[in-house]
Amino acid sequence: SYAVRLESVSKEYGSGKNAVRALDAVTAAFPRGTFTAVMGPSGSGKSTFLNCAAGLDRPTSGRVMLGDTELSGRPESELTELRRDRIGFVFQAYNLLGALTVEQNVTLPLRLADRKTDQGFLREVLTAVGLGEHVKRRPGELSGGQQQRVAVARALITNPEVVVADEPTGALDTRSSKRVLELLRHVVDGMGQTVLMVTHDPVAASFADSVVFLADGRIAGELTRPTAEQVA
Ligand code: ADP
Ligand code: ADP
């Protein structure tokens, strides 16, 4: 079964002669428990693709399915709730709150959703991301790689079906990137989640089960079991 499906999804920004077609009738499906990288030149529609898949952007036409739930056509309030309950987000800029500790940052999505923190699961997630000893630190005291792992932990704390990551390693050195990618791999293999990741980095893409290539808002190619050499 599929965690996410896009059926003939188009997205236009602006209108008239200023209209930009960021996605052009894209159809794609992502089986549960798989890790997919989305690649393509700047402006090819990668972020729009990810945002439509995760209910952050509304397609101009077409359907987006999250499991059996259709996202298209829902009011913003319902989309907000669906995102909060079922999707984890990881961005390049981490979006951590500097005044909060690691633990408070990680558990923030639970507080926003009025959900209790399961201390056992919190421990498990913090251990999985290798931050068990840093729970009381603040983001400013951590390296970029550690901060990104806090962001991944925060994305996982609600146990979402789908994790979307936009350039999660874009700001990281090789070693930190590798840890974050191994962590995303673990999320898929060990926790059964479905990960969609936008990346420019062939090495990052080689951690995925498959790669979708976008060009001018269309799917220009796909690879399964990609190697970094094939993707570059
Ligand atoms: P990528 O992530 O591959 O760089 P994007 O999805 O960000 O591509 O953008 C695809 C196209 O849509 C580009 O031409 C971009 O300028 C345009 N675009 C993206 N977001 C907006 C927006 N909010 N308003 C207008 N144009 C946008
Ligand atoms: P990337 O290439 O990494 O996807 P961009 O710098 O293209 O990032 O876009 C960053 C943000 O700006 C995205 O949220 C995108 O939707 C928005 N954006 C991109 N292009 C435009 C545009 N032409 N007008 C307005 N917003 C845009």
Side-chain angles (χ1 to χ4, degrees), residues 37-228:
V38 180
M39 301 189 81
S42 192
S44 59
K46 301 180 298 296
S47 294
T48 304
F49 180 91
L50 202 70
N51 291 346
C52 285
L56 275 173
D57 257 1
R58 281 166 191 285
T60 309
S61 63
R63 296 209 310 165
V64 178
M65 304 286 297
L66 176 65
D68 292 330
T69 310
E70 178 159 4
L71 297 186
S72 7
R74 281 181 195 272
E76 192 51 46
S77 56
E78 282 182 34
L79 283 181
T80 304
E81 199 170 313
L82 280 165
R83 287 195 303 262
R84 202 174 60 196
D85 294 343
R86 297 174 61 181
I87 302 177
F89 292 88
V90 183
F91 298 101
Q92 179 175 347
Y94 324 131
N95 289 315
L96 301 177
L97 298 179
L100 302 185
T101 65
V102 165
E103 183 173 337
Q104 288 166 338
N105 268 285
V106 170
T107 55
L108 189 61
L110 295 174
R111 289 200 298 286
L112 292 175
D114 252 325
R115 282 164 62 177
K116 280 220 185 75
T117 300
D118 174 336
Q119 291 297 331
F121 187 61
L122 172 63
R123 277 273 124 214
E124 206 177 297
V125 167
L126 287 169
T127 305
V129 300
L131 290 167
E133 282 100 78
H134 301 302
V135 288
K136 300 298 176 204
R137 301 253 191 119
R138 284 173 219 283
E141 302 170 279
L142 302 177
S143 71
Q146 288 172 325
Q147 290 183 49
Q148 189 58 298
R149 284 185 278 130
V150 175
V152 174
R154 183 186 52 190
L156 296 178
I157 197 67
T158 57
N159 197 19
E161 295 160 44
V162 176
V163 175
V164 298
D166 199 344
E167 295 276 2
T169 60
L172 303 182
D173 61 33
T174 309
R175 242 190 87 206
S176 298
S177 290
K178 190 154 174 279
R179 282 206 71 171
V180 168
L181 291 161
E182 283 167 351
L183 178 57
L184 291 173
R185 200 59 258 175
H186 171 72
V187 162
V188 173
D189 298 333
M191 303 172 78
Q193 262 124 356
T194 305
V195 174
L196 299 182
M197 169 182 75
V198 165
T199 187
H200 282 110
D201 177 8
V203 174
S206 71
F207 281 76
D209 299 306
S210 62
V211 184
V212 170
F213 296 94
L214 291 179
D216 293 328
R218 296 182 186 206
I219 293 182
E222 287 175 67
L223 262 181
T224 42
R225 305 197 175 283
T227 65

